[in-house]
Amino acid sequence: DAEITQSPRHKITETGRQVTLACHQTWNHNNMFWYRQDLGHGLRLIHYSYGVQDTNKGEVSDGYSVSRSNTEDLPLTLESAASSQTSVYFCASSEAGTDTQYFGPGTRLTVL
Amino acid sequence: GQNIDQPTEMTATEGAIVQINCTYQTSGFNGLFWYQQHAGEAPTFLSYNVLDGLEEKGRFSSFLSRSKGYSYLLLKELQMKDSASYLCAVRDPTGGGNKLTFGTGTQLKVEL
């Protein structure tokens, strides 16, 4: 069955380290999205991509970057992790021409 | 700008009916989604409305009034497993694309 996966599911890192969170989908969806979810803020969009080599900034993109070298993957990189980036991160994908986004299981990141 | 409002918490009794409201003020509008999210899990798609009116899907129904910037999710015959957070999300086509803006969610507790 087609699916969307994220790894790792849990990570603890230190302030200042570079961290990469992986997102992989097998639906062949063109659209992929990264969100963070924090109490009181709901889901906030970090970066998104509408296809290979396309990346765009969301509302909370500072300190994060993404790259899209193939259809299946959209890794999220924290260039220099900060305690304010402690959060649960969700990846999602949707088919071009539709808007229903399907979410991965999430990654819980703790920055100490 | 985007502003999406939902009640923070609601409590209802098993077997009853509950209505979760969502109001929105966005620079553009091209559809409203409802997602369900159980604690520690990913959001899952429930419904999508783009035209005014009621969409029914089993025990769940969703209503939209574009002129009022208002939607509700109606859950009938409540079950304990319906205890979850319900997220309202608006698709705003401003700037192109399929981005969603999420409300902060309504935590529903179903009691015996």
Side-chain angles (χ1 to χ4, degrees):
Chain A
D1 286 344
E3 60 178 357
I4 181 166
T5 58
Q6 294 182 234
S7 62
R9 296 294 313 278
H10 301 270
K11 184 166 182 70
I12 300 174
T13 190
E14 295 177 344
T15 301
R17 290 192 179 266
Q18 184 180 77
V19 176
T20 297
L21 308 183
C23 175
H24 179 81
Q25 52 96 4
T26 58
W27 281 306
N28 203 36
H29 286 167
N30 282 332
N31 306 329
M32 295 185 73
F33 308 84
W34 273 105
Y35 296 89
R36 59 178 290 174
Q37 187 173 37
D38 306 285
L39 276 174
H41 288 281
L43 284 162
R44 291 183 290 174
L45 184 63
I46 305 171
H47 281 285
Y48 57 101
S49 168
Y50 292 141
V52 175
Q53 302 302 328
D54 175 74
T55 61
N56 306 279
K57 294 181 179 180
E59 64 173 303
V60 290
S61 61
D62 287 349
Y64 303 94
S65 64
V66 293
S67 61
R68 187 89 181 270
S69 58
N70 58 53
T71 301
E72 296 79 18
D73 299 289
L74 187 70
L76 177 71
T77 297
L78 287 67
E79 304 295 344
S80 176
S83 57
S84 60
Q85 295 175 309
T86 292
S87 186
V88 179
Y89 291 86
F90 287 102
C91 178
S93 71
S94 68
E95 189 175 357
T98 73
D99 302 302
T100 303
Q101 294 184 17
Y102 297 94
F103 286 79
T107 294
R108 183 174 294 275
L109 177 68
T110 302
V111 183
L112 301 176
Chain B
Q2 318 281 42
N3 189 36
I4 300 173
D5 288 317
Q6 308 177 232
T8 302
E9 297 178 336
M10 298 183 72
T11 301
T13 305
E14 189 180 35
I17 299 172
V18 70
Q19 178 175 310
I20 302 174
N21 296 324
C22 171
T23 58
Y24 62 89
Q25 295 170 320
T26 58
S27 50
F29 177 85
N30 197 7
L32 187 142
F33 291 80
W34 285 96
Y35 281 81
Q36 180 190 59
Q37 186 177 25
H38 285 100
E41 298 183 8
T44 56
F45 170 73
L46 285 178
S47 68
Y48 173 59
N49 295 69
V50 65
L51 299 176
D52 290 352
L54 187 69
E55 294 279 346
E56 298 188 74
K57 194 184 290 186
R59 294 189 300 114
F60 292 7
S61 303
S62 56
F63 172 83
L64 175 66
S65 169
R66 290 173 295 172
S67 63
K68 296 182 179 178
Y70 168 69
S71 173
Y72 67 73
L73 181 69
L74 194 69
L75 290 74
K76 303 175 186 176
E77 301 170 13
L78 280 173
Q79 302 176 10
M80 298 299 289
K81 68 178 182 180
D82 297 330
S83 292
S85 183
Y86 291 85
L87 313 177
C88 170
V90 171
R91 178 175 179 257
D92 182 350
T94 305
N98 301 305
K99 300 190 303 296
L100 297 182
T101 300
F102 284 83
T104 53
T106 298
Q107 187 66 44
L108 174 66
K109 181 179 180 182
V110 180
E111 299 179 327
L112 290 171

